[in-house]
Amino acid sequence: MDALASLARDSELFGDAVRSAPPDARVPSCPDWTGADLLYHLAEVQDFWARVVGPAPGRGLDGDDVEPLARPSSDAELPALLQRSTSRLVAALTGRDPAEPCWSWHEEGRHVGWVLRRQAHEALIHRADAELTAGRDVTPADPDVAADGVDEVLSVMVDGVPGWGVFTPDGATVSVVVDGFGERPRSWELAFGRFTGTGPESGTAYDLDVAQLVDLPGSTTTQVAGPAWALDLWLWGRGTADGLIVEGDLALAERLRRVAAEGTQ
């Protein structure tokens, strides 16, 4: 997967789609947002990570030190703002060593390669948002990119328990399987349970329904299978389960979607 090419392509498709929609059009997949809000969001995110990565090794910022990108007073200025942010991010990531350290909100994401992957999928999913806002058909993603998107949702957004918390499995399991025509088969197994703990900095007590990646080949109780892009859109709440095949307990498939929503929205 060429993440940089994917990032550039989907940012361009995003811009084309969002410019074709009225600025006040509602985003079907994010109903609290207008098209202008969506445009500003991606511009802000890309500007943020461009500054975190920095123009050269060792010149990036800590996330807490990045000044928020100012939103223009006129929505007409937003397309140019996005173009500048995308150009800055692509320039920052071009030619960089993926292992080069940088700041990240994710404990395992403190390197440039993680940022590149995350921003490729950020552009991909928001490109789908923009096309839905414009009333267009959603452009298919490259199957390898989409399969990596499924992996990112499950391994970054869903999986993971901070050291101050505890995961207690409840016995329910599910597997997610990429098996679209011509696609390289891939699968992930997850166990459901509760995450409990108190954040050491915020003092907030948590008791959440979560899922964790586990090694349970062939022994999960429910399976959700389909083409990579359909699975990626479904996990992100940008597509229905119509193109997927659920074997076993439909309620567990719906539970996985709810858990994924907590990590992706």
PDB file of all heavy atoms in Angstrom, residues 89-127:
ATOM      1  N   LEU A  89       1.004  18.883   4.547  1.00  0.00           N
ATOM      2  CA  LEU A  89       1.116  17.536   5.106  1.00  0.00           C
ATOM      3  C   LEU A  89       1.871  16.609   4.152  1.00  0.00           C
ATOM      4  O   LEU A  89       2.760  15.855   4.589  1.00  0.00           O
ATOM      5  CB  LEU A  89      -0.277  16.973   5.397  1.00  0.00           C
ATOM      6  CG  LEU A  89      -0.318  15.557   5.974  1.00  0.00           C
ATOM      7  CD1 LEU A  89       0.412  15.482   7.309  1.00  0.00           C
ATOM      8  CD2 LEU A  89      -1.761  15.075   6.126  1.00  0.00           C
ATOM      9  N   VAL A  90       1.508  16.628   2.873  1.00  0.00           N
ATOM     10  CA  VAL A  90       2.189  15.771   1.903  1.00  0.00           C
ATOM     11  C   VAL A  90       3.672  16.115   1.845  1.00  0.00           C
ATOM     12  O   VAL A  90       4.532  15.219   1.815  1.00  0.00           O
ATOM     13  CB  VAL A  90       1.534  15.897   0.516  1.00  0.00           C
ATOM     14  CG1 VAL A  90       2.378  15.211  -0.547  1.00  0.00           C
ATOM     15  CG2 VAL A  90       0.130  15.295   0.537  1.00  0.00           C
ATOM     16  N   ALA A  91       3.998  17.392   1.865  1.00  0.00           N
ATOM     17  CA  ALA A  91       5.406  17.805   1.841  1.00  0.00           C
ATOM     18  C   ALA A  91       6.137  17.331   3.091  1.00  0.00           C
ATOM     19  O   ALA A  91       7.292  16.880   3.020  1.00  0.00           O
ATOM     20  CB  ALA A  91       5.501  19.326   1.717  1.00  0.00           C
ATOM     21  N   ALA A  92       5.474  17.404   4.249  1.00  0.00           N
ATOM     22  CA  ALA A  92       6.104  16.984   5.504  1.00  0.00           C
ATOM     23  C   ALA A  92       6.382  15.488   5.519  1.00  0.00           C
ATOM     24  O   ALA A  92       7.381  15.040   6.093  1.00  0.00           O
ATOM     25  CB  ALA A  92       5.218  17.371   6.682  1.00  0.00           C
ATOM     26  N   LEU A  93       5.519  14.701   4.880  1.00  0.00           N
ATOM     27  CA  LEU A  93       5.641  13.250   4.934  1.00  0.00           C
ATOM     28  C   LEU A  93       6.512  12.677   3.811  1.00  0.00           C
ATOM     29  O   LEU A  93       6.981  11.539   3.922  1.00  0.00           O
ATOM     30  CB  LEU A  93       4.254  12.611   4.871  1.00  0.00           C
ATOM     31  CG  LEU A  93       3.366  12.830   6.106  1.00  0.00           C
ATOM     32  CD1 LEU A  93       1.926  12.431   5.801  1.00  0.00           C
ATOM     33  CD2 LEU A  93       3.898  12.054   7.300  1.00  0.00           C
ATOM     34  N   THR A  94       6.698  13.423   2.761  1.00  0.00           N
ATOM     35  CA  THR A  94       7.447  12.922   1.608  1.00  0.00           C
ATOM     36  C   THR A  94       8.914  12.669   1.958  1.00  0.00           C
ATOM     37  O   THR A  94       9.611  13.536   2.493  1.00  0.00           O
ATOM     38  CB  THR A  94       7.368  13.918   0.438  1.00  0.00           C
ATOM     39  OG1 THR A  94       5.995  14.070   0.039  1.00  0.00           O
ATOM     40  CG2 THR A  94       8.180  13.436  -0.749  1.00  0.00           C
ATOM     41  N   GLY A  95       9.363  11.460   1.656  1.00  0.00           N
ATOM     42  CA  GLY A  95      10.759  11.111   1.850  1.00  0.00           C
ATOM     43  C   GLY A  95      11.195  10.883   3.288  1.00  0.00           C
ATOM     44  O   GLY A  95      12.394  10.727   3.551  1.00  0.00           O
ATOM     45  N   ARG A  96      10.260  10.823   4.210  1.00  0.00           N
ATOM     46  CA  ARG A  96      10.629  10.676   5.617  1.00  0.00           C
ATOM     47  C   ARG A  96      10.784   9.211   6.007  1.00  0.00           C
ATOM     48  O   ARG A  96      10.116   8.321   5.474  1.00  0.00           O
ATOM     49  CB  ARG A  96       9.566  11.337   6.508  1.00  0.00           C
ATOM     50  CG  ARG A  96       9.380  12.806   6.227  1.00  0.00           C
ATOM     51  CD  ARG A  96      10.601  13.630   6.593  1.00  0.00           C
ATOM     52  NE  ARG A  96      10.673  13.836   8.020  1.00  0.00           N
ATOM     53  CZ  ARG A  96      10.046  14.853   8.647  1.00  0.00           C
ATOM     54  NH1 ARG A  96       9.321  15.732   7.972  1.00  0.00           N
ATOM     55  NH2 ARG A  96      10.172  14.988   9.945  1.00  0.00           N
ATOM     56  N   ASP A  97      11.645   8.964   6.964  1.00  0.00           N
ATOM     57  CA  ASP A  97      11.847   7.624   7.508  1.00  0.00           C
ATOM     58  C   ASP A  97      10.635   7.280   8.370  1.00  0.00           C
ATOM     59  O   ASP A  97      10.336   7.989   9.343  1.00  0.00           O
ATOM     60  CB  ASP A  97      13.121   7.612   8.351  1.00  0.00           C
ATOM     61  CG  ASP A  97      13.412   6.246   8.969  1.00  0.00           C
ATOM     62  OD1 ASP A  97      12.577   5.322   8.839  1.00  0.00           O
ATOM     63  OD2 ASP A  97      14.471   6.118   9.608  1.00  0.00           O
ATOM     64  N   PRO A  98       9.896   6.203   8.042  1.00  0.00           N
ATOM     65  CA  PRO A  98       8.719   5.841   8.834  1.00  0.00           C
ATOM     66  C   PRO A  98       9.017   5.633  10.307  1.00  0.00           C
ATOM     67  O   PRO A  98       8.132   5.822  11.155  1.00  0.00           O
ATOM     68  CB  PRO A  98       8.234   4.541   8.182  1.00  0.00           C
ATOM     69  CG  PRO A  98       8.771   4.589   6.797  1.00  0.00           C
ATOM     70  CD  PRO A  98      10.097   5.286   6.904  1.00  0.00           C
ATOM     71  N   ALA A  99      10.248   5.244  10.634  1.00  0.00           N
ATOM     72  CA  ALA A  99      10.605   4.983  12.029  1.00  0.00           C
ATOM     73  C   ALA A  99      10.981   6.240  12.788  1.00  0.00           C
ATOM     74  O   ALA A  99      11.198   6.182  14.013  1.00  0.00           O
ATOM     75  CB  ALA A  99      11.756   3.987  12.094  1.00  0.00           C
ATOM     76  N   GLU A 100      11.060   7.368  12.106  1.00  0.00           N
ATOM     77  CA  GLU A 100      11.438   8.626  12.771  1.00  0.00           C
ATOM     78  C   GLU A 100      10.430   8.968  13.866  1.00  0.00           C
ATOM     79  O   GLU A 100       9.224   8.963  13.629  1.00  0.00           O
ATOM     80  CB  GLU A 100      11.491   9.744  11.742  1.00  0.00           C
ATOM     81  CG  GLU A 100      11.893  11.088  12.302  1.00  0.00           C
ATOM     82  CD  GLU A 100      11.695  12.187  11.270  1.00  0.00           C
ATOM     83  OE1 GLU A 100      11.903  11.919  10.076  1.00  0.00           O
ATOM     84  OE2 GLU A 100      11.309  13.299  11.674  1.00  0.00           O
ATOM     85  N   PRO A 101      10.891   9.278  15.079  1.00  0.00           N
ATOM     86  CA  PRO A 101       9.955   9.553  16.182  1.00  0.00           C
ATOM     87  C   PRO A 101       9.239  10.892  16.024  1.00  0.00           C
ATOM     88  O   PRO A 101       9.782  11.843  15.468  1.00  0.00           O
ATOM     89  CB  PRO A 101      10.858   9.554  17.418  1.00  0.00           C
ATOM     90  CG  PRO A 101      12.211   9.884  16.900  1.00  0.00           C
ATOM     91  CD  PRO A 101      12.290   9.300  15.534  1.00  0.00           C
ATOM     92  N   CYS A 102       8.016  10.935  16.509  1.00  0.00           N
ATOM     93  CA  CYS A 102       7.250  12.178  16.593  1.00  0.00           C
ATOM     94  C   CYS A 102       6.149  11.975  17.627  1.00  0.00           C
ATOM     95  O   CYS A 102       5.903  10.862  18.093  1.00  0.00           O
ATOM     96  CB  CYS A 102       6.655  12.571  15.232  1.00  0.00           C
ATOM     97  SG  CYS A 102       5.388  11.445  14.606  1.00  0.00           S
ATOM     98  N   TRP A 103       5.477  13.044  17.966  1.00  0.00           N
ATOM     99  CA  TRP A 103       4.402  12.974  18.955  1.00  0.00           C
ATOM    100  C   TRP A 103       3.194  12.212  18.395  1.00  0.00           C
ATOM    101  O   TRP A 103       2.929  12.206  17.192  1.00  0.00           O
ATOM    102  CB  TRP A 103       3.977  14.391  19.334  1.00  0.00           C
ATOM    103  CG  TRP A 103       2.839  14.428  20.320  1.00  0.00           C
ATOM    104  CD1 TRP A 103       2.918  14.448  21.675  1.00  0.00           C
ATOM    105  CD2 TRP A 103       1.431  14.434  20.003  1.00  0.00           C
ATOM    106  NE1 TRP A 103       1.661  14.458  22.234  1.00  0.00           N
ATOM    107  CE2 TRP A 103       0.720  14.454  21.232  1.00  0.00           C
ATOM    108  CE3 TRP A 103       0.706  14.421  18.811  1.00  0.00           C
ATOM    109  CZ2 TRP A 103      -0.670  14.464  21.291  1.00  0.00           C
ATOM    110  CZ3 TRP A 103      -0.679  14.418  18.862  1.00  0.00           C
ATOM    111  CH2 TRP A 103      -1.355  14.447  20.103  1.00  0.00           C
ATOM    112  N   SER A 104       2.430  11.567  19.271  1.00  0.00           N
ATOM    113  CA  SER A 104       1.156  10.949  18.899  1.00  0.00           C
ATOM    114  C   SER A 104       0.298  10.784  20.137  1.00  0.00           C
ATOM    115  O   SER A 104       0.824  10.635  21.246  1.00  0.00           O
ATOM    116  CB  SER A 104       1.377   9.570  18.251  1.00  0.00           C
ATOM    117  OG  SER A 104       0.130   8.908  18.034  1.00  0.00           O
ATOM    118  N   TRP A 105      -1.013  10.784  19.953  1.00  0.00           N
ATOM    119  CA  TRP A 105      -1.930  10.516  21.065  1.00  0.00           C
ATOM    120  C   TRP A 105      -1.977   9.022  21.387  1.00  0.00           C
ATOM    121  O   TRP A 105      -2.478   8.629  22.436  1.00  0.00           O
ATOM    122  CB  TRP A 105      -3.346  11.010  20.744  1.00  0.00           C
ATOM    123  CG  TRP A 105      -3.922  10.524  19.446  1.00  0.00           C
ATOM    124  CD1 TRP A 105      -3.942  11.186  18.251  1.00  0.00           C
ATOM    125  CD2 TRP A 105      -4.578   9.260  19.202  1.00  0.00           C
ATOM    126  NE1 TRP A 105      -4.551  10.423  17.281  1.00  0.00           N
ATOM    127  CE2 TRP A 105      -4.958   9.242  17.831  1.00  0.00           C
ATOM    128  CE3 TRP A 105      -4.867   8.160  19.998  1.00  0.00           C
ATOM    129  CZ2 TRP A 105      -5.603   8.160  17.250  1.00  0.00           C
ATOM    130  CZ3 TRP A 105      -5.514   7.071  19.419  1.00  0.00           C
ATOM    131  CH2 TRP A 105      -5.879   7.080  18.061  1.00  0.00           C
ATOM    132  N   HIS A 106      -1.464   8.190  20.490  1.00  0.00           N
ATOM    133  CA  HIS A 106      -1.510   6.738  20.666  1.00  0.00           C
ATOM    134  C   HIS A 106      -0.156   6.246  21.157  1.00  0.00           C
ATOM    135  O   HIS A 106       0.888   6.631  20.629  1.00  0.00           O
ATOM    136  CB  HIS A 106      -1.859   6.069  19.329  1.00  0.00           C
ATOM    137  CG  HIS A 106      -2.256   4.632  19.455  1.00  0.00           C
ATOM    138  ND1 HIS A 106      -1.330   3.614  19.514  1.00  0.00           N
ATOM    139  CD2 HIS A 106      -3.479   4.040  19.527  1.00  0.00           C
ATOM    140  CE1 HIS A 106      -1.963   2.450  19.612  1.00  0.00           C
ATOM    141  NE2 HIS A 106      -3.260   2.687  19.626  1.00  0.00           N
ATOM    142  N   GLU A 107      -0.177   5.394  22.165  1.00  0.00           N
ATOM    143  CA  GLU A 107       1.065   4.932  22.782  1.00  0.00           C
ATOM    144  C   GLU A 107       1.999   4.262  21.786  1.00  0.00           C
ATOM    145  O   GLU A 107       3.231   4.359  21.916  1.00  0.00           O
ATOM    146  CB  GLU A 107       0.752   3.966  23.931  1.00  0.00           C
ATOM    147  CG  GLU A 107       0.102   4.632  25.147  1.00  0.00           C
ATOM    148  CD  GLU A 107      -0.147   3.657  26.281  1.00  0.00           C
ATOM    149  OE1 GLU A 107       0.221   2.466  26.118  1.00  0.00           O
ATOM    150  OE2 GLU A 107      -0.689   4.073  27.315  1.00  0.00           O
ATOM    151  N   GLU A 108       1.444   3.574  20.794  1.00  0.00           N
ATOM    152  CA  GLU A 108       2.282   2.867  19.825  1.00  0.00           C
ATOM    153  C   GLU A 108       2.412   3.635  18.517  1.00  0.00           C
ATOM    154  O   GLU A 108       2.916   3.104  17.527  1.00  0.00           O
ATOM    155  CB  GLU A 108       1.707   1.469  19.571  1.00  0.00           C
ATOM    156  CG  GLU A 108       1.682   0.591  20.818  1.00  0.00           C
ATOM    157  CD  GLU A 108       1.097  -0.783  20.553  1.00  0.00           C
ATOM    158  OE1 GLU A 108       0.800  -1.085  19.372  1.00  0.00           O
ATOM    159  OE2 GLU A 108       0.934  -1.559  21.512  1.00  0.00           O
ATOM    160  N   GLY A 109       1.965   4.879  18.520  1.00  0.00           N
ATOM    161  CA  GLY A 109       1.952   5.639  17.275  1.00  0.00           C
ATOM    162  C   GLY A 109       2.952   6.761  17.192  1.00  0.00           C
ATOM    163  O   GLY A 109       2.811   7.652  16.360  1.00  0.00           O
ATOM    164  N   ARG A 110       3.969   6.726  18.006  1.00  0.00           N
ATOM    165  CA  ARG A 110       4.894   7.859  18.069  1.00  0.00           C
ATOM    166  C   ARG A 110       6.018   7.753  17.042  1.00  0.00           C
ATOM    167  O   ARG A 110       7.201   7.784  17.358  1.00  0.00           O
ATOM    168  CB  ARG A 110       5.434   7.978  19.497  1.00  0.00           C
ATOM    169  CG  ARG A 110       4.322   8.380  20.459  1.00  0.00           C
ATOM    170  CD  ARG A 110       4.695   8.241  21.901  1.00  0.00           C
ATOM    171  NE  ARG A 110       3.532   8.543  22.736  1.00  0.00           N
ATOM    172  CZ  ARG A 110       3.333   8.040  23.931  1.00  0.00           C
ATOM    173  NH1 ARG A 110       4.222   7.224  24.456  1.00  0.00           N
ATOM    174  NH2 ARG A 110       2.246   8.346  24.621  1.00  0.00           N
ATOM    175  N   HIS A 111       5.616   7.608  15.784  1.00  0.00           N
ATOM    176  CA  HIS A 111       6.581   7.599  14.685  1.00  0.00           C
ATOM    177  C   HIS A 111       5.865   8.062  13.414  1.00  0.00           C
ATOM    178  O   HIS A 111       4.633   8.003  13.292  1.00  0.00           O
ATOM    179  CB  HIS A 111       7.203   6.214  14.506  1.00  0.00           C
ATOM    180  CG  HIS A 111       6.216   5.099  14.353  1.00  0.00           C
ATOM    181  ND1 HIS A 111       5.698   4.722  13.140  1.00  0.00           N
ATOM    182  CD2 HIS A 111       5.631   4.296  15.275  1.00  0.00           C
ATOM    183  CE1 HIS A 111       4.852   3.725  13.310  1.00  0.00           C
ATOM    184  NE2 HIS A 111       4.784   3.449  14.610  1.00  0.00           N
ATOM    185  N   VAL A 112       6.665   8.522  12.465  1.00  0.00           N
ATOM    186  CA  VAL A 112       6.119   9.139  11.257  1.00  0.00           C
ATOM    187  C   VAL A 112       5.275   8.158  10.445  1.00  0.00           C
ATOM    188  O   VAL A 112       4.264   8.538   9.845  1.00  0.00           O
ATOM    189  CB  VAL A 112       7.261   9.729  10.412  1.00  0.00           C
ATOM    190  CG1 VAL A 112       6.762  10.154   9.027  1.00  0.00           C
ATOM    191  CG2 VAL A 112       7.887  10.923  11.128  1.00  0.00           C
ATOM    192  N   GLY A 113       5.679   6.889  10.417  1.00  0.00           N
ATOM    193  CA  GLY A 113       4.916   5.907   9.654  1.00  0.00           C
ATOM    194  C   GLY A 113       3.488   5.767  10.157  1.00  0.00           C
ATOM    195  O   GLY A 113       2.556   5.569   9.367  1.00  0.00           O
ATOM    196  N   TRP A 114       3.306   5.856  11.475  1.00  0.00           N
ATOM    197  CA  TRP A 114       1.954   5.783  12.051  1.00  0.00           C
ATOM    198  C   TRP A 114       1.124   6.974  11.595  1.00  0.00           C
ATOM    199  O   TRP A 114      -0.050   6.821  11.228  1.00  0.00           O
ATOM    200  CB  TRP A 114       2.044   5.753  13.571  1.00  0.00           C
ATOM    201  CG  TRP A 114       0.736   5.568  14.273  1.00  0.00           C
ATOM    202  CD1 TRP A 114       0.192   4.393  14.689  1.00  0.00           C
ATOM    203  CD2 TRP A 114      -0.193   6.591  14.665  1.00  0.00           C
ATOM    204  NE1 TRP A 114      -1.015   4.614  15.311  1.00  0.00           N
ATOM    205  CE2 TRP A 114      -1.282   5.960  15.303  1.00  0.00           C
ATOM    206  CE3 TRP A 114      -0.205   7.979  14.537  1.00  0.00           C
ATOM    207  CZ2 TRP A 114      -2.373   6.663  15.816  1.00  0.00           C
ATOM    208  CZ3 TRP A 114      -1.291   8.688  15.032  1.00  0.00           C
ATOM    209  CH2 TRP A 114      -2.362   8.032  15.662  1.00  0.00           C
ATOM    210  N   VAL A 115       1.712   8.146  11.608  1.00  0.00           N
ATOM    211  CA  VAL A 115       0.998   9.351  11.173  1.00  0.00           C
ATOM    212  C   VAL A 115       0.594   9.231   9.712  1.00  0.00           C
ATOM    213  O   VAL A 115      -0.548   9.554   9.341  1.00  0.00           O
ATOM    214  CB  VAL A 115       1.873  10.607  11.379  1.00  0.00           C
ATOM    215  CG1 VAL A 115       1.186  11.847  10.787  1.00  0.00           C
ATOM    216  CG2 VAL A 115       2.160  10.822  12.855  1.00  0.00           C
ATOM    217  N   LEU A 116       1.508   8.769   8.867  1.00  0.00           N
ATOM    218  CA  LEU A 116       1.195   8.624   7.444  1.00  0.00           C
ATOM    219  C   LEU A 116       0.024   7.673   7.239  1.00  0.00           C
ATOM    220  O   LEU A 116      -0.913   7.967   6.487  1.00  0.00           O
ATOM    221  CB  LEU A 116       2.436   8.116   6.706  1.00  0.00           C
ATOM    222  CG  LEU A 116       2.248   7.765   5.225  1.00  0.00           C
ATOM    223  CD1 LEU A 116       1.666   8.939   4.448  1.00  0.00           C
ATOM    224  CD2 LEU A 116       3.580   7.315   4.627  1.00  0.00           C
ATOM    225  N   ARG A 117       0.058   6.539   7.915  1.00  0.00           N
ATOM    226  CA  ARG A 117      -1.040   5.581   7.789  1.00  0.00           C
ATOM    227  C   ARG A 117      -2.354   6.184   8.291  1.00  0.00           C
ATOM    228  O   ARG A 117      -3.388   6.092   7.632  1.00  0.00           O
ATOM    229  CB  ARG A 117      -0.705   4.326   8.580  1.00  0.00           C
ATOM    230  CG  ARG A 117      -1.750   3.224   8.464  1.00  0.00           C
ATOM    231  CD  ARG A 117      -1.554   2.165   9.540  1.00  0.00           C
ATOM    232  NE  ARG A 117      -2.249   0.937   9.238  1.00  0.00           N
ATOM    233  CZ  ARG A 117      -2.556   0.007  10.135  1.00  0.00           C
ATOM    234  NH1 ARG A 117      -2.215   0.183  11.411  1.00  0.00           N
ATOM    235  NH2 ARG A 117      -3.205  -1.088   9.793  1.00  0.00           N
ATOM    236  N   ARG A 118      -2.334   6.800   9.446  1.00  0.00           N
ATOM    237  CA  ARG A 118      -3.532   7.378  10.035  1.00  0.00           C
ATOM    238  C   ARG A 118      -4.131   8.454   9.134  1.00  0.00           C
ATOM    239  O   ARG A 118      -5.343   8.530   8.925  1.00  0.00           O
ATOM    240  CB  ARG A 118      -3.176   7.969  11.411  1.00  0.00           C
ATOM    241  CG  ARG A 118      -4.286   8.752  12.132  1.00  0.00           C
ATOM    242  CD  ARG A 118      -5.253   7.845  12.862  1.00  0.00           C
ATOM    243  NE  ARG A 118      -6.148   7.137  11.982  1.00  0.00           N
ATOM    244  CZ  ARG A 118      -7.222   7.674  11.403  1.00  0.00           C
ATOM    245  NH1 ARG A 118      -7.546   8.933  11.620  1.00  0.00           N
ATOM    246  NH2 ARG A 118      -7.994   6.955  10.637  1.00  0.00           N
ATOM    247  N   GLN A 119      -3.280   9.293   8.551  1.00  0.00           N
ATOM    248  CA  GLN A 119      -3.782  10.374   7.713  1.00  0.00           C
ATOM    249  C   GLN A 119      -4.268   9.882   6.356  1.00  0.00           C
ATOM    250  O   GLN A 119      -5.164  10.480   5.762  1.00  0.00           O
ATOM    251  CB  GLN A 119      -2.726  11.460   7.563  1.00  0.00           C
ATOM    252  CG  GLN A 119      -2.518  12.252   8.843  1.00  0.00           C
ATOM    253  CD  GLN A 119      -3.842  12.682   9.464  1.00  0.00           C
ATOM    254  OE1 GLN A 119      -4.605  13.426   8.866  1.00  0.00           O
ATOM    255  NE2 GLN A 119      -4.124  12.195  10.671  1.00  0.00           N
ATOM    256  N   ALA A 120      -3.705   8.795   5.864  1.00  0.00           N
ATOM    257  CA  ALA A 120      -4.235   8.195   4.638  1.00  0.00           C
ATOM    258  C   ALA A 120      -5.665   7.721   4.863  1.00  0.00           C
ATOM    259  O   ALA A 120      -6.560   7.950   4.029  1.00  0.00           O
ATOM    260  CB  ALA A 120      -3.343   7.042   4.185  1.00  0.00           C
ATOM    261  N   HIS A 121      -5.907   7.088   6.004  1.00  0.00           N
ATOM    262  CA  HIS A 121      -7.255   6.590   6.282  1.00  0.00           C
ATOM    263  C   HIS A 121      -8.203   7.721   6.692  1.00  0.00           C
ATOM    264  O   HIS A 121      -9.410   7.648   6.428  1.00  0.00           O
ATOM    265  CB  HIS A 121      -7.197   5.486   7.338  1.00  0.00           C
ATOM    266  CG  HIS A 121      -6.529   4.248   6.832  1.00  0.00           C
ATOM    267  ND1 HIS A 121      -6.954   3.582   5.703  1.00  0.00           N
ATOM    268  CD2 HIS A 121      -5.445   3.557   7.281  1.00  0.00           C
ATOM    269  CE1 HIS A 121      -6.177   2.538   5.481  1.00  0.00           C
ATOM    270  NE2 HIS A 121      -5.244   2.505   6.420  1.00  0.00           N
ATOM    271  N   GLU A 122      -7.676   8.756   7.311  1.00  0.00           N
ATOM    272  CA  GLU A 122      -8.506   9.920   7.632  1.00  0.00           C
ATOM    273  C   GLU A 122      -9.039  10.546   6.346  1.00  0.00           C
ATOM    274  O   GLU A 122     -10.229  10.853   6.234  1.00  0.00           O
ATOM    275  CB  GLU A 122      -7.672  10.947   8.410  1.00  0.00           C
ATOM    276  CG  GLU A 122      -8.439  12.180   8.867  1.00  0.00           C
ATOM    277  CD  GLU A 122      -9.205  11.977  10.164  1.00  0.00           C
ATOM    278  OE1 GLU A 122      -9.113  10.880  10.747  1.00  0.00           O
ATOM    279  OE2 GLU A 122      -9.885  12.918  10.582  1.00  0.00           O
ATOM    280  N   ALA A 123      -8.158  10.722   5.363  1.00  0.00           N
ATOM    281  CA  ALA A 123      -8.580  11.294   4.082  1.00  0.00           C
ATOM    282  C   ALA A 123      -9.550  10.363   3.363  1.00  0.00           C
ATOM    283  O   ALA A 123     -10.528  10.818   2.749  1.00  0.00           O
ATOM    284  CB  ALA A 123      -7.359  11.569   3.209  1.00  0.00           C
ATOM    285  N   LEU A 124      -9.305   9.062   3.439  1.00  0.00           N
ATOM    286  CA  LEU A 124     -10.161   8.084   2.767  1.00  0.00           C
ATOM    287  C   LEU A 124     -11.590   8.131   3.306  1.00  0.00           C
ATOM    288  O   LEU A 124     -12.566   8.220   2.542  1.00  0.00           O
ATOM    289  CB  LEU A 124      -9.577   6.683   2.956  1.00  0.00           C
ATOM    290  CG  LEU A 124     -10.415   5.504   2.470  1.00  0.00           C
ATOM    291  CD1 LEU A 124     -10.602   5.567   0.967  1.00  0.00           C
ATOM    292  CD2 LEU A 124      -9.763   4.182   2.876  1.00  0.00           C
ATOM    293  N   ILE A 125     -11.733   8.067   4.619  1.00  0.00           N
ATOM    294  CA  ILE A 125     -13.066   8.036   5.206  1.00  0.00           C
ATOM    295  C   ILE A 125     -13.789   9.366   5.016  1.00  0.00           C
ATOM    296  O   ILE A 125     -14.988   9.403   4.714  1.00  0.00           O
ATOM    297  CB  ILE A 125     -12.982   7.648   6.697  1.00  0.00           C
ATOM    298  CG1 ILE A 125     -12.556   6.184   6.844  1.00  0.00           C
ATOM    299  CG2 ILE A 125     -14.321   7.889   7.399  1.00  0.00           C
ATOM    300  CD1 ILE A 125     -13.486   5.182   6.160  1.00  0.00           C
ATOM    301  N   HIS A 126     -13.077  10.471   5.159  1.00  0.00           N
ATOM    302  CA  HIS A 126     -13.741  11.758   4.961  1.00  0.00           C
ATOM    303  C   HIS A 126     -14.023  12.034   3.490  1.00  0.00           C
ATOM    304  O   HIS A 126     -14.945  12.795   3.166  1.00  0.00           O
ATOM    305  CB  HIS A 126     -12.919  12.874   5.593  1.00  0.00           C
ATOM    306  CG  HIS A 126     -13.002  12.881   7.085  1.00  0.00           C
ATOM    307  ND1 HIS A 126     -14.181  12.665   7.763  1.00  0.00           N
ATOM    308  CD2 HIS A 126     -12.047  13.066   8.040  1.00  0.00           C
ATOM    309  CE1 HIS A 126     -13.962  12.722   9.066  1.00  0.00           C
ATOM    310  NE2 HIS A 126     -12.674  12.944   9.263  1.00  0.00           N
ATOM    311  N   ARG A 127     -13.257  11.407   2.607  1.00  0.00           N
ATOM    312  CA  ARG A 127     -13.612  11.490   1.182  1.00  0.00           C
ATOM    313  C   ARG A 127     -14.984  10.839   0.954  1.00  0.00           C
ATOM    314  O   ARG A 127     -15.827  11.353   0.216  1.00  0.00           O
ATOM    315  CB  ARG A 127     -12.526  10.818   0.352  1.00  0.00           C
ATOM    316  CG  ARG A 127     -12.785  10.900  -1.151  1.00  0.00           C
ATOM    317  CD  ARG A 127     -13.411   9.647  -1.683  1.00  0.00           C
ATOM    318  NE  ARG A 127     -12.489   8.538  -1.706  1.00  0.00           N
ATOM    319  CZ  ARG A 127     -12.866   7.293  -1.967  1.00  0.00           C
ATOM    320  NH1 ARG A 127     -14.154   7.006  -2.145  1.00  0.00           N
ATOM    321  NH2 ARG A 127     -11.985   6.313  -1.984  1.00  0.00           N
TER     322      ARG A 127
END
